[in-house]
Amino acid sequence: MGILGLWLLLKNKGYEATLSDQRQVLSATFDPTSRVLIDVLGSIFPTIRRAYSTSPPDWAHAIAELKLRELANPSNGILYLDGSPAAEKMLTHQGREDKREKALKAADKCTTQLMARVTEKLRVRKQRFHKIRKHLDRSFYWSAASRQAFAQYCRLKG
């Protein structure tokens, strides 16, 4: 999430962004015994998308948990999962839902074209598979039920 146009506004106001190596900053100031707050969806989204798209739910939970263990120990990590969207963000949420639906239709269209080429015994290029995968990735949504199941899985694992 972010604020649309924030960098442009700050630049127009005369502020300049300075970059620093965040790893150096973290290693110099990080206390291993302190709590680590993790936004699950924001920090490991590619892993979640891959795991929940290609694996059964119990395996997907385990894959996500392993990735989260790279970020923090269960003893000091606090996980945050997104709940239902706020009323103020419903327009944004609806726009994202429309984009997911459009991507799913595009994937369906590409799949139909691929099947027609196979039926006609025409050459099928790798590009067609990549295009389908791209559209399917864009249509992914980690449902509230899946998030709840993952939270329950994490509670049971400790």
Side-chain angles (χ1 to χ4, degrees):
M1 302 291 165
I3 301 172
L4 186 64
L6 177 63
W7 285 112
L8 182 62
L9 173 73
L10 292 175
K11 186 177 178 184
N12 291 341
K13 294 286 184 180
Y15 295 103
E16 282 295 321
T18 58
L19 298 177
S20 63
D21 186 5
Q22 291 183 353
R23 291 181 194 169
Q24 285 181 337
V25 173
L26 283 176
S27 63
T29 60
F30 183 69
D31 177 15
T33 60
S34 65
R35 297 222 182 261
V36 178
L37 309 175
I38 301 171
D39 173 13
V40 175
L41 195 58
S43 59
I44 64 166
F45 181 74
T47 302
I48 289 170
R49 181 176 55 204
R50 188 189 75 247
Y52 285 87
S53 296
T54 61
S55 305
D58 52 341
W59 289 14
H61 296 332
I63 292 167
E65 179 199 8
L66 286 174
K67 189 66 175 175
L68 286 171
R69 284 182 184 267
E70 293 176 11
L71 301 175
N73 295 328
S75 61
N76 70 342
I78 298 175
L79 305 178
Y80 286 94
L81 292 166
D82 293 340
S84 56
E88 297 83 9
K89 304 267 307 181
M90 287 310 285
L91 187 61
T92 302
H93 181 69
Q94 184 59 45
R96 289 181 183 153
E97 183 62 36
D98 293 344
K99 287 179 183 177
R100 282 192 291 271
E101 194 173 306
K102 183 178 176 182
L104 198 54
K105 287 179 182 177
D108 188 41
K109 179 182 172 187
C110 290
T111 304
T112 304
Q113 290 172 349
L114 175 72
M115 290 171 59
R117 290 189 69 83
V118 169
T119 305
E120 295 171 11
K121 299 196 185 306
L122 296 173
R123 175 179 276 186
V124 178
R125 299 182 187 270
K126 190 186 333 182
Q127 174 188 1
R128 292 193 181 272
F129 293 100
H130 288 302
K131 201 172 189 180
I132 292 169
R133 171 53 55 198
K134 180 183 76 171
H135 291 306
L136 288 175
D137 283 349
R138 287 182 180 170
S139 68
F140 177 78
Y141 176 69
W142 199 29
S143 68
S146 292
R147 291 192 305 259
Q148 229 171 5
F150 179 69
Q152 184 64 28
Y153 172 86
C154 289
R155 277 190 213 106
L156 292 174
K157 293 289 272 185

